[in-house]
Amino acid sequence: MKTKPVRPFGFRDELGYVFGDMAGSFVNLFVDAYFLTFCTYVLGISPAWMAGLFLAARLWDAINDPIMGSFPDRWHIGKTADKFKPWIKIFMLPLALSGVLCFANVPFEGIALHAWVAFVYVLYGMSYTGTSMPFGAMASVVSTDPIHRSRLSRARSIGGTVVGIGALSFVPVICFDANSNIIPERFTLLAVIFGVGSILCYMGLLHFTQERVHEAPKGPAAKFNYGEVLKAALHNRPLIGVMVATIGSMLFITGSSQLNSYIYKEFYQNTSVMTVSSLANIVIIAICFPLVPRLVNRFGKRNVILVMSAYCLVLSAFKLFVQIENVWAYTVVYVLAMIGQTAFTMLIWALVTDCLDYSEWKLNIRSDGSMYSLYTFSRKIGSTIASTGAASALAAIGYISGTNVVQSAATVNNIYYLVNAVPVVTCILELIGIGLIFNLDKKTTNQMYTELAERRARNSAN
């Protein structure tokens, strides 16, 4: 088994993590934002059926995610000492392919069409699990330094933002005509481009990021016990808090991204402004990138998230209860509220690695892949609620599928309130998860780091 020379943690690792999040985001964000739109408008599938698909696919994830997440803990593959990279290599190609298939305008009808849509969506979900879980858990073996982990968390948040700004912001311009009508073949073309981009970015992750923490080889009698991992997770209060907050965050990431095209197309009848709102995120990143680390150093990750989530809640509630008729005024308020969610995204991954350390600190159990898979399951739960809820809500308010269908005035009005209720629920769950359940404040976290470092030093000496 080959072990690479260990170089110090540095900018290359952060760059690799930017590439890693870009790789998954090229497919994930595109599917999350436009798969429902593509299926209802282009393929003519009812939103009620799509709601059932999203629910069934996530129920499968409930079985599939923990199993696949435990693979790195159960089996070591490859010729190097790396624990997580080999699994990313296996699943990155199926992920790119599944993204293309999700936006194929196939000539099927009836049962064949519905079976095809279900197949490609489940394939996408399993492929994304196969890459996202080892990528997320890998932060714990890139470095044990808390500052380094915070930098990795910030780096991966930038990756998704880069894709959202640099790629997805142009989707409305490319895939809708001047009258806001969909151009189906453009979606397929972009899916191919994003698939190639995903593969290239995963190659960047594998090249620039190094796994430094390697486990000692396990003896033949050592067996992986998933029951112990589950028991540890149930006693890991910080992890439970992060999972609750993440469910809320995914309501926004998935729900808002899926529904945004509907509010701009139906309520404001101006999809081009979506591009402007996406590009405005450049300014948000420019503000948050230098500011958030400074705030964290002074106040701690938990306090910064609480303040930013409360700030986002105020602006989101304003949009919900005061209907904004002007599309530009609405977009300004939306962009300002996004500052709070951007800060949350930058910091949440650092809290996850703290939860993995907490398991070792209090419970003497370290199974990063399996524990991380339980966290990512909460992301899937949030995404499921958002996807199923969005599709079900569209059906409930009378939305009619089809390319050239004119929606009723009542449906258009309800779309506004549906879209703007999502971030309010998001912020409430974030405040409950991090404010009431998560119990690692700055002082306790520093104590945990110190005691773990001393424990590891003693174990190395022995």
Side-chain angles (χ1 to χ4, degrees), residues 26-216:
F26 267 124
V27 180
N28 180 48
L29 293 184
F30 190 42
V31 172
D32 274 356
Y34 291 104
F35 185 62
L36 177 61
T37 301
F38 185 83
C39 289
T40 53
Y41 280 107
V42 177
L43 301 182
I45 297 178
S46 73
W49 190 89
M50 292 299 297
L53 170 62
F54 292 145
L55 179 60
R58 294 308 188 239
L59 289 175
W60 165 242
D61 282 343
I63 302 171
N64 173 62
D65 279 13
I67 294 174
M68 294 182 67
S70 69
F71 285 177
D73 293 324
R74 293 176 184 271
W75 303 293
H76 182 276
I77 61 175
K79 297 180 180 180
T80 69
D82 291 336
K83 180 178 181 179
F84 298 107
K85 284 185 177 182
W87 295 100
I88 295 174
K89 292 178 183 178
I90 290 176
F91 286 101
M92 66 183 189
L93 290 176
L95 176 63
L97 175 62
S98 68
V100 176
L101 297 180
C102 280
F103 292 95
N105 190 8
V106 293
F108 305 142
E109 295 180 357
I111 295 176
L113 176 61
H114 288 78
W116 168 261
V117 171
F119 166 74
V120 297
Y121 189 69
V122 171
L123 175 63
Y124 150 72
M126 294 183 65
S127 301
Y128 185 63
T129 296
T131 56
S132 64
M133 286 189 179
F135 169 60
M138 193 169 71
S140 63
V141 298
V142 171
S143 176
T144 58
D145 187 287
I147 302 301
H148 295 169
R149 290 178 174 181
S150 294
R151 288 163 61 182
L152 290 176
S153 177
R154 182 178 64 172
R156 72 172 298 173
S157 71
I158 293 171
T161 304
V162 167
V163 173
I165 296 173
L168 291 191
S169 60
F170 294 101
V171 172
V173 175
I174 296 172
C175 296
F176 294 84
D177 63 20
N179 297 316
S180 294
N181 296 314
I182 283 181
I183 308 173
E185 61 271 17
R186 299 282 183 85
F187 276 101
T188 308
L189 175 62
L190 282 182
V192 173
I193 294 173
F194 291 161
V196 173
S198 175
I199 294 171
L200 293 176
C201 287
Y202 273 126
M203 293 173 65
L205 164 71
L206 298 173
H207 176 72
F208 288 112
T209 305
Q210 184 175 21
E211 295 189 25
R212 295 174 176 80
V213 182
H214 298 117
E215 297 178 352

Side-chain angles (χ1 to χ4, degrees), residues 396-411:
I397 63 178
Y399 172 84
I400 302 174
S401 299
T403 305
N404 297 312
V405 176
V406 178
Q407 308 297 330
S408 69
T411 297

Side-chain angles (χ1 to χ4, degrees), residues 219-299:
K223 292 185 178 180
F224 177 79
N225 190 328
Y226 200 82
E228 292 183 359
V229 176
L230 290 175
K231 183 178 179 181
L234 291 174
H235 289 84
N236 192 326
R237 179 173 168 178
L239 179 63
I240 295 173
V242 168
M243 291 172 69
V244 171
T246 297
I247 290 173
S249 175
M250 293 306 296
L251 293 181
F252 180 83
I253 293 173
T254 301
S256 290
S257 65
Q258 286 185 336
L259 293 172
N260 261 353
S261 59
Y262 291 89
I263 190 172
Y264 279 102
K265 184 180 187 303
E266 303 295 348
F267 187 85
Y268 291 113
Q269 298 183 352
N270 191 341
T271 55
S272 62
V273 182
M274 292 174 62
T275 299
V276 177
S277 67
S278 296
L279 291 175
N281 283 316
I282 297 175
V283 178
I284 295 177
I285 290 296
I287 294 172
C288 291
F289 189 83
L291 181 61
V292 169
R294 295 178 184 177
L295 293 175
V296 168
N297 287 337
R298 182 169 182 179
F299 301 107

